[in-house]
Amino acid sequence: MRLRGFSHALGRIPIDLLRARRLFLAAGSHLTGACSRGRTRRKRRPGNGRGVAAGLSSRREFRTQYIRRRSQLLRENAKAGHPPALRRQYLRLRGQLLGQRYGPLSEPGSARAYSNSIVRSSRTTLDRMEDFEDDPRALGARGHRRSVSRGSYQLQAQMNRAVYEDRPPGSVVPTSAAEASRAMAGDTSLSENYAFAGMYHVFDQHVDEAVPRVRFANDDRHRLACCSLDGSISLCQLVPAPPTVLRVLRGHTRGVSDFAWSLSNDILVSTSLDATMRIWASEDGRCIREIPDPDGAELLCCTFQPVNNNLTVVGNAKHNVHVMNISTGKKVKGGSSKLTGRVLALSFDAPGRLLWAGDDRGSVFSFLFDMATGKLTKAKRLVVHEGSPVTSISARSWVSREARDPSLLINACLNKLLLYRVVDNEGTLQLKRSFPIEQSSHPVRSIFCPLMSFRQGACVVTGSEDMCVHFFDVERAAKAAVNKLQGHSAPVLDVSFNCDESLLASSDASGMVIVWRREQK
């Protein structure tokens, strides 16, 4: 649709703005053409320097003229007193047209969308692994280390609020996740949306040994993995029916405490009580590499660096956090730090700039992560509750249109699920609210629902020692419980949604894994 026809459809968009737009496009094409013509000249002819200088001067004058004229038109437009609602309507319609033409846009500031695009442009994670310490791209033009900044959390929260408050009443923050949530949820309430029709399948290949972690593959609806204290990892396929165990990864000599999918889902990293981490190829189940813990201690948790999957962070029983380069099998220089207890939980923020680690003495530490070198710098410490192990940490840039602050979801052995607000760029936490669950001794985990809610409120899901899966609305002041799934015969240790929330997997201390199917509206 042409701009002139679009402004006519809106009513009264000043024609001077359209003229400025055409002038801008003309300036861009003029400059582009001049630059392309300049690139084709490989040799400078004698006596041509004066002409080139004159051309550059002319382009600078043209650009200056455009900027001055644009500023004049903006001032005149402001004096004319055009209603702000008209501008918002124009931006909304413009966004819809762009979305129809080019597809939905990614979440603002989403490092995950950025990193996924990088992953899809390469063949596999292993093919693009490079030693970060020797990576020339981590250096500036003159060989200096280049720092990567994504802005402070205070600024992010303010931007989230500004985007929301600039929308007309009754609308939502325009993100692809919100549009996807709207399409799948329809006009149902939050409680109706998280109603489940029952069990889709039950996996019992790890029966009699606890399954501490279960995870769907990234951006995948039907591929699931779970690890067990029997020392193995199962890769499962849910479609086509019937669901099957594709392969079982064996090699650890003791229980597997944690694992993580790479962004491209081609490899998995696992940690074990046998003091090793292993790199697995998900396609054929082979073990690519075995890496011993630098301290020779039991490894209790792991997580990929979200932007660079060449780096993995592990936590061990000797109170240490290590950043490991999985392509070299070595610890990154400056990438280690000591906590007050056994490291049980790790979580990055979306851009990969902040890392949180929780230990078995009730403390949560925040670290600044150097994107260029992999170095960790200890920033803040929060004592959740002295002596209460922190068993799970989940980070989210923002939860819903009401909860627009960066948030952290924490399980500790307090019979509560805790939701914290991240208040600054050093990871300082402020308690927002808590939800009642049963947890006093088991390593229970929780998650944010992967889709941002289109309607009022947003859900979190957690396991519990009462053998149930609990859903809570983080914004509901009273009666926050949304749903409860019953079916396990032992404490529920972990939960995981697939990418479109059509299936939920939960694992328990007896080795049972249940896949729940959401009701179709």
Side-chain angles (χ1 to χ4, degrees), residues 226-384:
C226 53
C227 67
S228 172
L229 294 185
D230 65 8
S232 65
I233 304 169
S234 297
L235 301 182
C236 308
Q237 187 73 33
L238 304 181
V239 172
T244 58
V245 178
L246 293 177
R247 58 188 57 87
V248 178
L249 313 182
R250 303 186 188 277
H252 286 293
T253 58
R254 294 183 62 192
V256 180
S257 56
D258 197 4
F259 76 94
W261 291 92
S262 67
L263 281 175
S264 54
N265 297 323
D266 58 331
I267 67 171
L268 292 93
V269 167
S270 62
T271 55
S272 172
L273 303 180
D274 64 7
T276 66
M277 62 181 293
R278 286 177 177 255
I279 317 299
W280 309 87
S282 61
E283 184 66 27
D284 54 14
R286 62 189 173 91
C287 180
I288 300 170
R289 173 168 289 147
E290 179 183 3
I291 304 174
D293 178 63
D295 304 319
E298 296 177 345
L299 286 172
L300 306 176
C301 55
C302 63
T303 185
F304 275 108
Q305 209 283 340
V307 176
N308 176 27
N309 276 187
N310 187 40
L311 301 180
T312 301
V313 183
V314 297
N316 68 23
K318 288 190 176 179
H319 308 184
N320 288 322
V321 172
H322 297 298
V323 180
M324 305 296 296
N325 187 318
I326 62 175
S327 66
T328 64
K330 297 180 180 180
K331 180 176 64 174
V332 173
K333 184 178 180 180
S336 298
S337 187
K338 197 171 189 67
L339 275 62
T340 57
R342 293 157 49 94
V343 185
L344 303 180
L346 295 165
S347 182
F348 272 101
D349 66 346
R353 183 181 167 275
L354 271 174
L355 171 72
W356 288 274
D359 63 28
D360 66 349
R361 298 199 177 173
S363 295
V364 175
F365 291 82
S366 65
F367 297 90
L368 302 180
F369 187 90
D370 190 317
M371 303 286 285
T373 64
K375 180 180 178 181
L376 290 177
T377 303
K378 191 178 291 185
K380 299 292 182 179
R381 178 193 177 193
L382 169 72
V383 179
V384 177

Side-chain angles (χ1 to χ4, degrees), residues 100 202 285 385 453:
Q100 293 173 3
V202 177
H385 189 272
S453 179

Side-chain angles (χ1 to χ4, degrees), residues 463-485:
S464 177
E465 292 178 5
D466 63 359
M467 301 179 287
C468 297
V469 178
H470 294 269
F471 295 73
F472 295 103
D473 185 344
V474 299
E475 292 301 313
R476 189 183 297 178
K479 297 181 179 180
V482 173
N483 196 2
K484 180 170 69 172
L485 303 181

Side-chain angles (χ1 to χ4, degrees), residues 17-63:
L17 291 178
L18 300 179
R19 291 172 180 166
R21 173 67 174 170
R22 286 196 293 271
L23 181 61
F24 171 74
L25 294 175
S29 61
H30 177 77
L31 290 173
T32 303
C35 291
S36 62
R37 289 192 298 273
R39 284 194 297 267
T40 58
R41 299 189 183 102
R42 298 186 179 275
K43 295 183 180 180
R44 179 178 293 179
R45 297 180 180 178
N48 197 35
R50 183 176 301 175
V52 172
L56 292 174
S57 176
S58 174
R59 288 196 292 273
R60 283 195 295 267
E61 292 175 359
F62 186 81
R63 182 176 60 184

